[in-house]
Amino acid sequence: MTSIRRFLLAGVLAALTLFSFIAPLRGYRSSMAEVETLFDAHLLDASKLVANLDMARITRQSQLGDNLAFQVWEDGKLLAASSQAPSDHMAPLQQGFDFANFDGYRWRTYSWFDESTQRWIMAAERTDQRFALAENVVLETVLPILLGIPVTGLLIWLIVSQGLKPLTQLSSDLQKKPAHDLSELPLRATPKELVPVVNAVNGLIHRLGAALEREKRLSADAAHELRTPITALKIQLHNLAQEVDAGSESFRQLEQGVERMGHLVEQLMSLYRTSPEQFTADCTDIDLHALAQELVARMYPLFEARQQTLELLGKRCMMRGEPFALETLLANLLTNASKYTPLGGRVQVNVEAGDAVVVLKVQDNGAGISAEDKARIFERFYRVDRSSNAGPGCGLGLTIVQHVAALHQATVSVHASEFGSGAAFTVIFPALMET
Ligand code: ADP
């Protein structure tokens, strides 16, 4: 994966290093030229000095320092020389500077003809000294830069990291955003360069929210529109029952089909009936135990018909909620408990106060739910058994339960019941702090 931070670090460091080397390189050239002039002047002086030496006292071993060689020629004969000098001419018999190789080194030479003594004076100096000096100058400039590269790198890294912080912040903000949170990203403290990105993301969130809302409205509106024809259908079916054999298999299936359709429409409507804004407006203080008591009484005939026992445990628990939505939640859990528990089974509702929470638990001793289905049962239209003998249902009941729970900032979980077999649904609501 490409990294802006690494790219900036490498780029800036490379540019800086390149620049740091070009500058001393230019310096090297000019220092080389200066050193050359300086050394040439020195060599010229030295050659004058040689001319003034007392030739009688000079031996072949004479030295004027390690780096200075000389020869004095008179009438084509070597009159005097330093120890490093070769036996023949070390420089051409021509006044001026030149280069020569002897004694294992390269030398800068200077020759001149001394008119007063009629002698050729030649002096030579090793060139490696000159380079060493110029190199020293460059090294002294480059070395601090070389040593400074890691420190500069670290500094650039810190600066780049600081500069990229708003980007990191933006990506973490986006990552932390829950899937259902379609609120816009705040623009405060956003650097100028990121404003178009934040605006674009906000635009996208806005469009997404509008599209989702349209989708919700569409199903709610469609369900609403279907309500009237289904009611009409039910009346027609009732009338038809007087005219035809109401006990026949075809009639029973027709009746079941209409029933199923009516159920689906009701479920679809209750799924999107409550919008967050409407919900907040309709919220009141509720005793969940009392609400459960009322609903259990109302639904008792359903359980009786299946010879199932239905019990309610717990005590008064106050919470903030929307009564109609909470009734729908509980009714769906109870309907499921009855539906997926065989005849003569047992269903228990428990409303208890916990640590700043109200816990609603609905459990049965039916077949229960497999681990892999547990992960999917809250999905829209998901049913474990899709065959017609699974009983009436459309796979929306638990989606509604979850929707209502989310509106109440509650969590829903499913696990094994305490009755040996069967499922237990637990909804944990925030409790109302009674003063
Ligand atoms: P529906 O009941 O209409 O099929 P739900 O969304 O209410 O849709 O439930 C989804 C699925 O979860 C059901 O089809 C059923 O298989 C499973 N389920 C729900 N409640 C229970 C329960 N108490 N015991 C066993 N299975 C259940």
Side-chain angles (χ1 to χ4, degrees), residues 1 33 42 69 76 100 192 210 217 223 250 275 288 304 376 393 397 411-412:
M1 214 188 298
H42 178 251
K192 209 164 63 184
R217 288 279 135 241
S250 323
S275 66
L288 190 65
E304 213 173 18
R376 300 202 58 193
T411 55
V412 191

Side-chain angles (χ1 to χ4, degrees), residues 181-413:
D181 177 10
L182 290 178
S183 62
E184 292 191 348
L185 292 171
L187 256 181
R188 82 190 120 73
T190 307
K192 209 164 63 184
E193 294 78 2
L194 279 186
V195 170
V197 180
V198 175
N199 279 338
V201 171
N202 280 344
L204 195 70
I205 290 178
H206 190 73
R207 287 199 299 279
L208 199 68
L212 273 177
E213 194 50 41
R214 265 201 308 278
E215 189 215 353
K216 282 182 188 175
R217 288 279 135 241
L218 181 77
S219 25
D221 291 349
H224 189 79
E225 289 303 312
L226 281 171
R227 226 178 177 186
T228 324
I230 287 172
T231 314
L233 213 58
K234 276 184 183 165
I235 296 168
Q236 295 303 333
L237 208 61
H238 181 77
N239 295 342
L240 198 65
Q242 325 291 322
E243 297 165 26
V244 298
D245 176 13
S248 74
E249 177 62 17
S250 323
F251 192 83
R252 211 180 50 79
Q253 283 200 358
L254 186 64
E255 219 171 23
Q256 264 183 10
V258 174
E259 197 54 48
R260 212 179 272 250
M261 210 145 59
H263 175 70
L264 171 66
V265 164
E266 288 308 316
Q267 293 281 65
L268 267 177
M269 281 192 61
S270 59
L271 180 56
Y272 296 121
R273 187 182 286 133
T274 334
S275 66
E277 306 78 51
Q278 186 62 36
F279 169 77
T280 330
D282 294 346
C283 259
T284 55
D285 294 356
I286 296 175
D287 172 8
L288 190 65
H289 188 262
L291 184 133
Q293 209 164 22
E294 208 183 299
L295 201 73
V296 162
R298 218 187 306 154
M299 290 183 73
Y300 200 75
L302 174 78
F303 289 83
E304 213 173 18
R306 292 176 59 83
Q307 293 118 46
Q308 292 162 334
T309 52
L310 172 64
E311 49 181 338
L312 171 68
L313 305 180
K315 56 180 174 54
R316 178 183 140 95
C317 285
M318 290 306 288
M319 60 169 281
R320 199 120 181 104
E322 208 268 278
F324 189 77
L326 285 174
E327 260 180 35
T328 313
L329 175 145
L330 192 52
N332 280 353
L333 288 180
L334 284 175
T335 314
N336 278 352
S338 171
K339 214 162 43 170
Y340 301 110
T341 304
L343 297 176
R346 175 182 178 194
V347 177
Q348 187 189 73
V349 183
N350 204 341
V351 183
E352 272 178 356
D355 189 13
V357 290
V358 172
V359 184
L360 166 73
K361 195 166 174 182
V362 178
Q363 53 183 339
D364 58 59
N365 68 345
I369 303 165
S370 72
E372 89 194 66
D373 285 324
K374 271 182 192 158
R376 300 202 58 193
I377 50 172
F378 292 99
E379 288 173 19
R380 272 193 289 180
F381 301 109
Y382 182 78
R383 304 198 72 199
V384 176
D385 184 356
R386 295 184 166 273
S387 63
S388 56
N389 56 10
C394 54
L396 278 178
L398 289 177
T399 314
I400 294 167
V401 167
Q402 200 163 51
H403 182 69
V404 173
L407 284 171
H408 287 84
Q409 259 120 50
T411 55
V412 191
S413 57

